[in-house]
Amino acid sequence: SIREQFSKSNGKPFTEQQILYGVDDVKYLHIIKEKQIIQLQELGLMNVLELENQCCLVLADIEYNGIKLDKKGWKLLCEDSITKGKFYQQDLDVLVKQESKLSNFISKHVQIDIFGGVDRDILINYDSPIQMLKVFTKLGLKIEDTNEKTLTKFQNQFPLVKKFIDYKKNEKLTTTYGENFLKYVNKQTQRVHTSFFQILETGRISSGDSGKKGNPAPNMQNIPQDNRYRSCFIAEEGSSIVTCDYSGQELRIIAQVSKEPVWIEAFNNGRDLHSETASMIFKIPLEKVKEYPEFLRGQSYRYVAKTINFGLAYGMSEFKLSSELSISVEAAKTIINNYFHGLEQLQSFLVLA
């Protein structure tokens, strides 16, 4: 409760309570630091400490400076996703009418307004998990919820399920990255500011703290891959945004430690590892790895291979892969088995790791 007072102070001097709170915050830090230094020295990690401390300053700059958002462009994307949602709803209505088992969800009395328009005759709210559970149960599915992970295994069996998954994905885009996202634009700076959490168990950084009262912070590492969204984050006039990335940083380390010959050969000869992996898993020529087959739900062969290359390095199971790619668990398991069949050295390393 005292901590929350800081965001409401509006430039007023700190109260005695706030000052004492701040004192307690730092009272034990030096003692903790001394004990940590001893352990870091014993483990030979002082160089890691130095790098992390330097990185902390960079992240603090990014948090403080924020990034400018093209609000007009963002609003156009919001309108586009809302329009797509309406089309998805119309498609779902058509599929409901095609299923004889769902006749109870079709109104027998259709209302016409004074302008000659016809009211929707489908008695289903696609945003209601309770209603949709009744719909899918009537369709013959034995499920306990309507989560994507649960429904994925039925998507190739029922067109309605497949279209519903697409609808929910678009709705998530509309709600998470729609008009609501504009609340993250700071009124003073007119920029989006996030909060970083520097060290996780995976060694990666996370961001976002949307539950923080008075100062919400978005997850800036989960912006949709669609370049239309990412292009809305812009530089000030006269400046440019420069992007850079290590080329398969984690995968190069794994190749070095595991001694996997297929990976080492690919890296040493400057070949694209994800394309090589896609060709191996799906038994297709390299020139076809960027194609988008129907059974992969709109993802390319190469994208799936990239997901697996990084995912398995962090312990991803067939269930997680199934959820990530919106494919059945059986299909995900087959893909993983094909993957390890051609990378036996890598499999041995990941099992031991």
Side-chain angles (χ1 to χ4, degrees):
S1 60
I2 297 172
R3 182 176 63 185
E4 289 174 4
Q5 293 175 12
F6 286 93
S7 62
K8 301 173 183 176
S9 60
N10 294 321
K12 296 177 183 177
F14 293 140
T15 64
E16 185 176 343
Q17 264 190 324
Q18 288 174 311
I19 293 170
L20 290 174
Y21 178 91
V23 169
D24 283 338
D25 252 4
V26 299
K27 187 186 294 182
Y28 303 102
L29 294 183
H30 290 289
I31 300 171
I32 293 170
K33 177 188 172 185
E34 289 168 7
K35 293 182 180 295
Q36 288 179 332
I37 290 292
I38 293 170
Q39 286 189 317
L40 288 165
Q41 288 173 334
E42 290 174 351
L43 295 170
L45 293 174
M46 290 302 290
N47 60 330
V48 177
L49 170 66
E50 185 180 348
L51 285 170
E52 289 291 350
N53 285 342
Q54 289 177 23
C55 185
C56 184
L57 298 176
V58 175
L59 295 176
D61 277 345
I62 296 172
E63 283 190 15
Y64 180 77
N65 291 322
I67 186 167
K68 191 174 181 181
L69 181 71
D70 175 7
K71 290 190 282 188
K72 287 183 179 179
W74 194 267
K75 286 180 179 179
L76 288 174
L77 289 175
C78 300
E79 293 169 7
D80 182 55
S81 63
I82 291 171
T83 302
K84 280 184 179 177
K86 292 177 181 177
F87 284 124
Y88 277 126
Q89 187 181 85
Q90 292 171 7
D91 291 342
L92 286 167
D93 285 353
V94 171
L95 290 170
V96 168
K97 291 176 182 178
Q98 291 173 355
E99 289 287 351
S100 57
K101 294 178 181 178
L102 303 179
S103 58
N104 290 343
F105 297 98
I106 304 172
S107 175
K108 293 177 177 60
H109 306 286
V110 181
Q111 200 83 12
I112 300 176
D113 62 30
I114 60 173
F115 302 104
V118 180
D119 281 351
R120 182 168 169 256
D121 57 352
I122 300 297
L123 307 174
I124 301 171
N125 176 4
Y126 298 118
D127 294 322
S128 169
I130 296 173
Q131 285 192 35
M132 290 309 298
L133 186 59
K134 290 179 181 177
V135 171
F136 291 132
T137 301
K138 194 74 175 176
L139 200 59
L141 276 63
K142 295 180 180 179
I143 55 176
E144 296 181 359
D145 59 63
T146 59
N147 294 330
E148 183 182 339
K149 184 177 179 181
T150 303
L151 292 173
T152 294
K153 65 181 77 172
F154 303 105
Q155 65 180 348
N156 294 324
Q157 191 177 349
F158 298 97
L160 180 65
V161 174
K162 186 175 181 180
K163 186 63 68 175
F164 177 72
I165 291 173
D166 291 338
Y167 170 77
K168 293 305 292 181
K169 283 183 176 179
N170 185 74
E171 286 302 294
K172 184 178 180 181
L173 204 63
T174 304
T175 52
T176 307
Y177 301 103
E179 289 272 358
N180 286 337
F181 191 85
L182 296 176
K183 71 183 179 184
Y184 295 122
V185 179
N186 186 283
K187 292 179 180 178
Q188 277 73 44
T189 66
Q190 289 298 305
R191 287 169 166 245
V192 177
H193 301 263
T194 191
S195 297
F196 286 106
F197 301 91
Q198 188 168 340
I199 305 175
L200 301 181
E201 290 179 357
T202 60
R204 290 191 165 200
I205 295 166
S206 71
S207 64
D209 187 13
S210 56
K212 199 172 181 182
K213 292 182 180 178
N215 186 27
N219 180 355
M220 291 296 289
Q221 294 163 271
N222 202 33
I223 302 299
Q225 284 187 323
D226 189 333
N227 277 333
R228 295 179 305 157
Y229 283 89
R230 298 195 172 189
S231 296
C232 285
F233 296 95
I234 55 177
E236 296 287 353
E237 191 174 343
S239 299
S240 298
I241 292 177
V242 178
T243 63
C244 58
D245 190 13
Y246 284 103
S247 176
Q249 182 183 18
E250 298 100 319
L251 305 184
R252 290 175 186 273
I253 294 171
I254 292 172
Q256 174 71 22
V257 179
S258 69
K259 309 298 182 188
E260 172 54 59
V262 175
W263 279 23
I264 291 172
E265 184 184 357
F267 281 130
N268 284 343
N269 290 286
R271 297 202 301 270
D272 177 36
L273 185 64
H274 304 314
S275 294
E276 295 270 335
T277 306
S279 176
M280 177 193 71
I281 295 174
F282 298 106
K283 299 177 175 59
I284 56 173
L286 278 172
E287 56 268 21
K288 290 190 174 183
V289 297
K290 293 185 179 180
E291 292 182 358
Y292 294 79
E294 178 63 25
F295 79 97
L296 290 180
R297 306 286 285 117
Q299 309 290 1
S300 70
Y301 292 109
R302 185 186 181 279
Y303 176 84
V304 172
K306 183 178 179 180
T307 301
I308 296 171
N309 279 336
F310 284 106
L312 293 180
Y314 286 97
M316 180 175 65
S317 66
E318 62 265 30
F319 301 102
K320 176 65 176 175
L321 181 63
S322 165
S323 173
E324 198 78 22
L325 300 176
S326 295
I327 58 176
S328 67
V329 174
E330 291 76 17
K333 192 170 184 178
T334 299
I335 290 173
I336 292 175
N337 287 338
N338 289 346
Y339 179 84
F340 282 132
H341 182 72
L343 301 168
E344 294 181 1
Q345 190 80 10
L346 177 66
Q347 183 180 24
S348 300
F349 167 73
L350 291 179
V351 169
L352 291 173

